[in-house]
Every structure is written in structure tokens, then in C-alpha cells.
Amino acid sequence: MAAAGAAFGSNTYRNGAHRSSVKADGKSLAANQSFKSSSSASSSSASSSFKSRSLQFRKSSPAALGGANGAAKDGGGVPGRVRVAVRLRPRNAEELAADADFADCVELQPELKRLKLRKNNWDTDTYAFDEVFTEFASQKRVYEVVAKPVVESVLEGYNGTVMAYGQTGTGKTYTLGKLGEEDTAARGIMVRAMEDILGDISLEADSVSVSYLQLYMETIQDLLNPSNDNISIVEDPKTGDVSLPGATLVEVRDQQNFLELLRLGEAHRFAANTKLNTESSRSHAILMVNVKRYVKEKDPVLPMENGSNSHSAKTFKAPIIRKGKLVVVDLAGSERIDKSGSEGHTLEEAKSINLSLSALGKCINALAENSAHVPVRDSKLTRLLRDSFGGTARTSLVITIGPSPRHRGETMSTIMFGQRAMKVENMLKLKEEFDYKSLSRRLELQLDKLIAEHERQQKAFDDEIERIHAESEMQIAETDRKYADALEKERIKYQKEYMESIKKIEEQLVGDQQKHDNDSATVSHNDYYSNGEVSSISALDEVADLKKLLEKETILKKAAEEELTNHKRQLYQSKLMEASATSEILKLRKLLEDESRQKQKLEGEIAILQSQLLQLSFDADERRRQLDRTGSGNDSNDLDCLTAQVKNPQLSDSENGEKASVAKLFEQVGLHKILSLLEADDADVRIHAVKVVANLAAEANQQKIVEAGGLMSLLNLLRSSDDETIHRVAAGAIANLAMNETNQELIMAQGGIRLLSTTAANAGDPQTLRMVAGAIANLCGNDKLQTMLRSEGGIKALLGMVRCGHPDVLAQVARGIANFAKCESRASAQGAKTGRSLLIEDSALPWIVQNANNEASAIRRHIELALCHLAQHEVNAKDMISGGALWELVRISRDCSREDIRTLARRSLSSSSTFKAELRRLRMDY
């Protein structure tokens, strides 16, 4: 009972308050200086080699890890085999003492991607893997080769899994979960993967959420919420997808937040002290990262009536959501009870771990042998990983082994597990769907805008009609008034004349009567009657004339009324003609707008075709230069081999006169002899030796070259030699060495940047300038060297090389500026930098703005990235506005061919108050 209690007492939470032993990060590996940061080969070349085989088309297995509900059922997937890499842990202090007289049980051949397992002193078994990492492989190279292709697939909308398997104490947790708080180069796959994810997405539109779980004694527990210690697994009966609805899901906004979640989860994970590992994981840790991204390209267009044009159709595109899930699995180590010394509760934990790993191995065997039945339900571990093996996820597996011959059986078992896993075939499927809710909200907003615009136009139209009607009424009233006044004047005039005529007649009659009365009485009666009759006839004639005048006035009045009616009819016809003309103008305006939109569409298509033509031309030139470099490289290798054979006659005898490769030359002659030729008196020998060292630096020998003094020899050649060829090849070798962070610090410490700047100032050959620019560009990507790089003239050297004008040189200069701007942006975000950009202080901004729209895509892409990173720091905004960079940022946010750069430009513009104020002043939108 006491022993059992002691064993159970040693099994506590990691970093918990009741632990009996304190765990230091990477303690099991610290005995041999942990994993060395130096990589045995260029990380970029290894990464591309691993990714190039990541989607080979092979015959898919008949069933996924879940049986009939596998990925093949849905169709439309891409076959992809499980990729397996092996990593060797260096000997710890105990193994160095106990196995000092014994050789390692494994022999690695990283250049051939295989290892040899010793049976005895004479026989070995050889196994091939997708990648083989030595004990010197850096964490960065392991991530870029194993996990980065999976992370890129997750960002594109696929599911991905990265898993570590191996004996306890061989470095699984170090490879996956190392936080790197003390040394950033020691960061594990989890931390580096989240850095790449957060750096690629747009936090405004996209989202990242994580769950952190552990499978302990066949129960799923939440590491972010320890009280949630029995989470159930739910399977979709239609698709077979596995989900954990009870798990805590936390949205991640920045890297520091994610690191705090990892620390919290690590503190709650179970660990115990065994003979094989002082801090042995007693549970399987599972990190789930869910990435939700919006994709704007290649969106389907909803059907519309009446053949709406493409300009209107853009509004009705349904956004596409891609949902990728990254699963990082840190399996507990397999162990033998007699070697680990487990007892009591620790023994029960070991049994549970071994049973779950055994169930996983059975499923892997069934899938590798294309068995009709896969025992997926034997363990919760296999149920959780049903999508990772034989499912729809891209899977990378790292198997970790130790060198000790005492554990040869466990090493053999781990290797065979990896060999069987390489036979498992997955069917990758893109996880995307249409966001119809977002489209519906957008259409509702646009409908409201159109309704408001229609109401505004209708109100304006009604107001215009009312104004015209009022003016017409006023004109008609004025015309009526004028004609009425004229008629009234005429009537009064004629009436006055009539009255005057009547008055004259009456006066004449009165006068005639008086005259008649005064006549003498002697006038005869006949004369009297005769004069009276004449006067009466004259009066009647005047009355008849007056009647005629009145009739004439009546006719004139009728004519005036008819003329008024005609005027009214003409005014009405003019209104009709005006309305018809307005409708014709509206039709013509609509036709003009349609023609304008069609013209814009054609111009956009022409611009796309021109960019595609430029890209094809650039790709053809790049392919031609690669072929030229390949040919020249082969010639130089042949000359190097011939020179080595001249200096070493025994090499020609052993190879029967055939030219040896650089790798064979390195093995037979030795690095020190090759480096000694760099100081030879014969100029041709020095040239050939420099070429050999350059080729070795491009392969898996960088650390050995640096340790043997090769870096110092190359810098001395730049300092002492006047030969242009030596400068070009030496600069290329230094560029290859500068891909490693440790080598970058050595180059700067030994005055390398000054030598490279001097070489660039004196060189005239574009290829030499390209090599020098490439070396400086690699140094620009190191956060620690920013100030030193600028103070020693690195930025001015880059800007000075643009005088060449060669596209390859300009591409390297643009890459260096982009790397420098990215490091400054990261430092500003972390609070390590507060002042203006050093690029702006060194007058690099005018050249950046001038080449922001360069025809060469390689130059343009790096310059656009540099502008976006400079714009993320508020203190640079005023200089960028005065230098014309704001216009280029707006153009990038609208017209850049890459979605991630467009999103970064928009985020930079929206996050800067200075930019937003200037855009409002200029009345510009982005």
C-alpha cells in the first residue's frame, strides 16, 4: 500500500501545486544540450522536397479509419499518403555514461532519407522514410518540413493532423509543445503553427479558435477547464465526422493569448517520474485549432433575370467560408514496465497508454493491408483520429527514437509503426460552404439603399412636374389676363365711340328742331315735311353704320378667343413634347451607363490578360535562368571534381577515372582539405575550391563548414581577392549559410555585412550583385540584427544595387526590404520598437513607391508586402502620405492579385487614424 501510494503521489498535474517533482522545460533532453538549433541541411530545400511529394496520386484504401463513412464516399477528394518523418534524440547524460563503449543502434543517412538499424555488429536493416532528422536538426527545420505543408493546407480549407509517436523520453513533447520562452529557436510545432496561421489570416474577417484536451485513462478531459473531466464523443451519422461539443472553445486573437492557453493546459496535464523519463506524460494531449476564412475569389453568381450585367452581378456573389481544422497530437510514450519501473497507479496508467497505442497500431495495420474491417471503436484515441488515418485530413507523423542500444526493441517497434503508417492513404477534401446569411444581409442592405434612392428620385421627379405645372398655370393665367385686358379696352373704346355718336345725333336732332321752330311761318307745309324726312333718313344711316361696327367688334372678339384657345393647345402640346424629350434623355443616359460598364468590364479583362501575359513571360524567363544556372552549376561541379582529382591522384584511381560528385568528393577528400585550397596560390584552384564549398553549403553541410572555419575563409576571399568570379561564388555560398539564424549572427559578428556592401559597391556583374543582394536579404529577416544591419550600411548597400536595373537583382533587393519591414512591423507590434522605420530614415521609401506597381510579379509582390508592413506602424503614416505611398496602398487594397496582401492593405488603412483622416479629406474609399 505504501508503494502504491508513493507511485500515485508522483503522478500529479504538470506545474500543479501538489507536485512531488518540478519539471523544467525539456529536462529529459537538456542533458545533451537539448536538440541543437543547427540544421543539417537548408530548411528551404528540404521543405520543398517534402511538399513536392505531399499529394502523390495513389490508389486509395477501401475504407477510412471510420469504415464506410470515409472520405471516399463523398467523392471529389484528392488522394494523399500519410507523410512520416523520423527524428533521432541525442544521447542524454545517463546514456553517455552507461553506453559509452557501445555504438548507437541506428545509423542515419539523411541525404538518402533512410536509416539503418543494427541487428548486431555485422548485419543491419535499412528503412526509408519521407524525411530523416539527425540529432542536430533544428526545431525550425522540423516544423517547415513536417508541419508547415499541413498548416498551409488548413489555411486553404482542408483538415490536417500533425502527430508524434515514440518511446517515452525520446522528445515528442519537445518537438510539438515546446513554448520556447527562454530560447525562441526551441519553439515547437504548436507555437510556430499558430504564428503562421495568425500571420496569414485577417483577424477582422476570419477567426481562429482552439480546444486543448487530454485523453487520460480512456476519459477525455478539458485542459482549459479541469472541471470538465468527462467529455463525450459525438459522431455525425451521415458524414462520420467526429466532434466534441462539451469541449471549451476559445477564440485566439494574438500569439500571446495562445501561449497563455498552452501554459494553462500544460499545467493541468498529468505527468509522472519514471526510470526512463523524469517527467513522463501520462496522457495523450490533443490540440484542435479551427480556422474559419472568407474567400472572395471564384465565388458563384446567383442567377438573375433579364441578363443583368457583370457590374450588377458582383453585388450578388455568395461569400465562401472555408473551415479547416488542425489537430496536433502529442501521444504519451510507449514503455515497457520492466524498464520504466512503473507500479501502483502509475502502472495502471502505463497499461491504459499501451492499450490505446496498441489499438491505434491495429487500425494502422488494417488500413495498410486494405482490410475490410478497421477496429476503430476499440479505443477513444482511434475514434478521435478516424479522420487523420484513412480519412479526409492531410496527416504528417513524426516518430521519435533514441540512440541507445539498450532500447533497440522499442526503437524497432517505433520504426515499424512508421513504416506501416506510410502505407495509409487519405482522401483530402476541401471544407467550404456558401455564406448565404451574409449574402442575404448584404442584399437586404442594398435593397434598402435602392428603395431609398428610388424614393429620392421619385420625389425629385414629382417636384419637377409640380414646378412645370405651376409655371404653365402662371403663363396661362397671364395670357388670359392680357387678352381680357385687351378686349376690355377695345370694348370700352368702341362703347365710348358709340355713345359719342349717339350724343352727336341727339344734339343734331335738337339743333334741327330748334332751327325748324325758328323758321318763318311763311314756310309752306310741304317744305317742312320734306326737310324732316331727310333728317330722319340721315339718322337711320348712322345707326346702321354703328350696328355694322358692333358686329365687326363681335367678330374680332370671337377671333381673339379662338387665338387664345390655339395658344392653350400649343402650350399643352409643348408639355407633351417636353415629357417625351425627358424620357428620351433618360433612355440615352441608361444606354450611356451600360456602355460605360461594358467598357470597364473589357478594360478589366484586358488588364487581367496583360498581367497573365507578363506572368507567363516572367515564368519563362525564370525557367530559362534556372536552366542556365543548372547548366553552369554542373560545369563547375565537373571542373571542381577534376581539380580535386588533380590535387588527389588516389581519387581518380578509386573512381576509375570518372568525375566524382560533390558529395563523394566531400566524403573522400575531407572538408579541411577542400577549405585549404581556398588559400592556394593558383587562381584556378581557388575558383574551383570556392565552387565546391558553395555547392556543399547548398546541401546538408552548413554546420560542418562553419565549424571548420569555412565562413571565415569565404569572408577573407571577399576581403583579399579581386577576381569577379570568386566574389560571385563566395557571395552565393555566404547567402546559403545565411539561411540559418545562428550563421546570420556569426556573419554579422565577423564584419560580413561591411564586406558584402564593399563587394556590391565594386561589382558590375548582375549575377554577383544578385548573390550579394540575396545574402543581405537573408540577413534582413533576423529580428535581432536590424539595428546592426542598418548601422553597418546594409540598407544603403541594398538601395545602391538598384543601379544595375537587372530584374533578378531588383527582386532580391525587394525581398530584403520586405523582410526588413516585416521584422520592424513585428517588433512594433511587440512594443520593442517605437520610432520611425529605419527604411524611411535611409530614404528607401521613394524607391519602394516607384516600384510598387512594377511589371515583374516577384518585385511587385515583395514591394507590396513591404508597404503593408510599413503602414501597420502609425508613426510612419505621415511620411508615407507625403511620399505618395497612400495612393499605392489604396491601389493594393483594390487591385492586388493576392487576397492576403489585399486584406493586409485594407487592415493597415483601417487601423491608422492618420490614413483614415487623409482618405476622408481626399474623399476616397478603399
Side-chain angles (χ1 to χ4, degrees), residues 468-486:
I468 295 174
H469 183 267
E471 291 180 355
S472 301
E473 291 291 340
M474 290 176 63
Q475 291 179 359
I476 292 173
E478 182 67 19
T479 304
D480 289 342
R481 185 183 62 80
K482 288 181 179 179
Y483 278 103
D485 292 342

Side-chain angles (χ1 to χ4, degrees), residues 4 77 113 120 230 253 362 487 501 749 821:
K113 292 182 175 54
N120 47 47
N230 191 10
R253 305 298 297 176
K362 290 179 182 178
L487 289 175
S501 300

Side-chain angles (χ1 to χ4, degrees), residues 828-841:
S828 299
Q830 296 173 355
K833 177 176 175 57
T834 57
R836 285 196 314 164
S837 169
L838 299 179
L839 291 172
I840 295 178
E841 292 184 357

Side-chain angles (χ1 to χ4, degrees), residues 435-446:
D435 189 7
Y436 288 107
K437 292 183 179 179
S438 175
L439 176 62
S440 176
R441 290 193 298 270
R442 188 194 307 169
L443 293 178
E444 288 176 356
L445 291 175
Q446 184 162 357

